[in-house]
């Protein structure tokens, strides 16, 4: 049996993005962000954004898809965090 | 000014691995793992492992370095989680 190496990329993408999803969806639903560090989360969101740019440069679909999904969720969560911080809720 | 696209990869790697580091180091020091979900963390560690394999296949240093560091830390944390679960500590 011959496994395409691209499958490894899609498997990796599904696992890392999948492991991030439940917590992200929960945070988006509850808008509870007090447990998140603004500094660390900003760093994470910026990092995912640069992986996305790098994936586009490499024309690598697995990297683009994984980081596009993660970036949208991370940016939403960061938005709630900033809003909560600005409103003085935490 | 000409920016090498590889710089984007290293920047991405530094930001995502860097954002994971403080929490990982804290968990490794305290060995407190009750807040982690065994399922989600296993999925994350497996995903990072496959990104590492995929990076080796692509011969891409930024992907290899980022995921090698993250995998070592994630595997250590997963080990503590499994040990604590097995010992019935949580």
């Amino acid at each position: 049996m011959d496994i395409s190496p691209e499958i490894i990329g899609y498997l990796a993408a599904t696992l890392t993005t999948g492991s991030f999803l439940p917590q992200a969806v929960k945070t988006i639903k509850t808008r509870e962000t007090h447990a998140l560090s603004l500094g660390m989360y900003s760093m994470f969101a910026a990092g995912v954004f640069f992986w996305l740019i790098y994936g586009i440069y490499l024309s690598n679909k697995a990297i683009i898809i994984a980081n596009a999904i993660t970036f949208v969720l991370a940016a939403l969560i960061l938005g709630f965090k900033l809003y909560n911080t600005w409103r003085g809720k935490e």
Side-chain angles (χ1 to χ4, degrees), chain A residues 10-47:
Chain A
Y10 285 110
L11 182 60
T14 305
L15 289 167
T16 52
T17 299
S19 73
F20 175 67
L21 267 179
Q23 191 57 53
V25 169
K26 195 179 164 190
T27 304
I28 288 165
K29 273 189 183 165
T30 63
R31 303 192 182 188
E32 267 287 313
T33 57
H34 72 271
L36 299 176
S37 150
L38 181 59
M40 289 302 108
Y41 214 83
S42 304
M43 206 167 153
F44 174 70

Side-chain angles (χ1 to χ4, degrees), chain A residues 47-63:
Chain A
V48 172
F49 176 75
F50 284 117
W51 278 122
L52 175 59
I53 301 296
Y54 191 54
I56 293 167
Y57 158 69
L58 295 175
S59 304
N60 185 299
K61 275 188 199 165
I63 298 173

